[in-house]
Amino acid sequence: MNARKLCDTARELVADGKGLLAMDESNPTCNKRFARHGIPQTAMARRAYREMIVTTGDLGSCISGAILYDETIRQCLEDGTPFAQAIIDAGMVPGIKVDSGKTDLAGHPGEQITEGLDGLRDRLAEYGRMGARFAKWRAAIPVTEDLPSRGCIEANAQKLAGYAALCQEAGLVPVVEPEVLMDGAHTLERCAEVTQEVLRTVFAHLSLQRVMLEGMILKSNMVLPGLTCPQQEGVDEVADATLRCLLRVVPAAVPGIAFLSGGQTGVLASARLNAMNVRFKGRLPWALSFSFARAIQQPAMEIWGGSDTHVMPAQEALLHRARCNRAARRGEYGAKLESVST
Ligand code: 5MM
């Protein structure tokens, strides 16, 4: 493990008002999203869609790193350039999703465990040779009155820590993603309580596995009311609740927190990130960034729709959301930006 290199990469991923672009949807997730827009669910279409993304001009001024899926890192642009190289050429760092998905957690109805540790050491070495400099693993934690259970939180935290330690051994920065899900009618307070417990447990396991905090990124959910909760707090309340929670449990040595969007609209995700960066300016030990998939890609996917002739307007839409999030990182986002891109 080269500690200096890991720290430099982690800092690079959250530097300069930039954030991560999660384009690592597994084939089933990508296909489900394509189906909604009538896009063919084929490897060719997934490749073409992702070529549209990484060839968007100026994306590297807003995006520090792009997270790929296994299929994509093995594919090339139409001109034969491998995706990882195209990302480097665009001024971004290539990353890779390395978990192999979720499965039901035995003895825990309604809860899941993320798998993927088997053979991970070899896969990380291979991804490193392909150009990846960071990796991502997502655990999904549901919220109900009774869930999550202690067993689900512990089991997922243990795997996240094992993955993170292997990544650092291989010289890749781990992006550690324990996502407390938005589905449900739970309140903002309940999300805060669960997020706090999950993150405390994750950091305890990271410490046990001797993960170097300076060489990792936390990918967290924001603290939000459930999607069907009747009370939906405003942007400032969400910002305050999220930071109150994170300040209690995320060690200052972590260089950055990159939020997932989790099903929020692009506009809300930008507004909430912006509010955090405005209200807590100068008071945070870590950079507050983004690692959005849907909140950056959604309008672009809809416009592209599988058609070569829609590539340019789709790229404009993608760049617009990326620029909005760069502004949100700097606390400079506002309604004006939504009508005129910078
Ligand atoms: C929560 O999902 C991650 C962030 O995406 P959003 O900003 O849209 O919430 C995302 O990186 C996710 O982990 C990947 O898309 C892979 O998801 P699947 O479900 O295909 O493994």
Side-chain angles (χ1 to χ4, degrees):
M1 174 172 84
N2 182 335
R4 167 73 65 84
K5 201 179 109 194
L6 284 171
C7 296
D8 288 350
T9 302
R11 279 198 298 264
E12 188 179 343
L13 293 176
V14 292
D16 297 335
K18 296 183 191 177
L20 303 178
L21 170 58
M23 46 183 289
D24 60 326
E25 299 85 359
S26 58
N27 289 349
T29 303
C30 189
N31 289 345
K32 213 186 309 162
R33 293 183 187 162
F34 275 11
R36 270 183 225 137
H37 304 295
I39 303 168
Q41 292 130 63
T42 62
M44 263 171 61
R46 291 189 294 271
R47 194 212 61 77
Y49 174 67
R50 277 134 178 182
E51 171 155 354
M52 179 279 289
I53 292 179
V54 304
T55 57
T56 296
D58 204 33
L59 198 59
S61 70
C62 315
I63 301 297
S64 53
I67 315 172
L68 300 174
Y69 181 57
D70 180 79
E71 177 182 81
T72 320
I73 202 169
R74 299 176 191 283
Q75 290 174 325
C76 295
L77 305 189
E78 227 172 21
D79 69 5
T81 310
F83 266 88
Q85 188 58 48
I87 286 168
I88 295 168
D89 294 345
M92 302 178 283
V93 180
I96 180 78
K97 163 196 167 81
V98 297
D99 66 73
S100 57
K102 297 173 267 97
T103 184
D104 291 345
L105 181 62
H108 293 72
E111 296 184 296
Q112 294 192 303
I113 180 83
T114 301
E115 300 284 9
L117 289 179
D118 287 350
L120 183 57
R121 180 175 268 135
D122 292 342
R123 286 195 289 127
L124 288 169
E126 187 190 12
Y127 290 138
R129 287 192 295 274
M130 289 171 157
R133 287 169 53 205
F134 71 104
K136 196 209 79 174
W137 177 296
R138 169 176 175 254
I141 311 290
V143 186
T144 68
E145 259 178 45
D146 310 317
L147 302 181
S149 66
R150 196 61 217 150
C152 170
I153 296 174
E154 282 286 339
N156 275 294
Q158 203 173 11
K159 300 243 186 194
L160 275 166
Y163 134 83
L166 281 165
C167 282
Q168 291 192 335
E169 179 193 85
L172 274 74
V173 168
V175 173
V176 174
E177 182 183 8
E179 177 183 4
V180 175
L181 299 167
M182 281 170 72
D183 310 86
H186 55 272
T187 61
L188 175 98
E189 289 75 25
R190 176 84 179 120
C191 178
E193 178 184 74
V194 172
T195 303
Q196 197 166 306
E197 186 186 352
V198 167
L199 291 178
R200 264 195 221 289
T201 310
V202 168
F203 279 103
H205 280 276
L206 290 169
S207 163
L208 263 182
Q209 295 309 321
R210 302 179 177 171
V211 172
M212 187 180 54
L213 299 178
E214 294 83 350
M216 65 162 276
I217 301 292
L218 173 68
K219 178 161 173 169
S220 175
N221 52 283
M222 297 181 189
V223 171
L224 301 169
L227 281 171
T228 54
C229 177
Q231 182 166 342
Q232 294 288 321
E233 279 78 3
V235 164
D236 289 348
E237 283 96 334
V238 165
D240 292 355
T242 302
L243 269 310
R244 204 178 307 125
C245 170
L246 295 176
L247 281 165
R248 285 180 184 156
V249 290
V250 183
V254 172
I257 299 174
F259 290 106
L260 59 96
S261 56
Q264 304 173 62
T265 63
V267 170
L268 255 187
S270 300
R272 287 165 169 164
L273 177 62
N274 186 69
M276 291 182 220
N277 278 311
V278 169
R279 292 167 78 79
F280 289 80
K281 190 173 180 181
R283 291 200 278 146
L284 299 175
W286 3 257
L288 269 194
S289 182
F290 58 90
S291 177
F292 296 155
R294 285 163 287 183
I296 293 182
Q297 293 183 45
Q298 208 154 300
M301 185 186 286
E302 207 173 313
I303 293 167
W304 178 68
S307 162
D308 281 354
T309 57
H310 298 164
V311 165
M312 269 181 57
Q315 290 182 328
E316 275 165 28
L318 187 85
L319 189 59
H320 172 65
R321 287 257 56 85
R323 284 175 168 162
C324 286
N325 289 310
R326 178 180 63 189
R329 266 217 60 180
R330 295 172 172 164
E332 295 168 358
Y333 172 80
K336 258 194 192 162
L337 259 185
E338 291 297 345
S339 40
V340 187
S341 191
T342 53

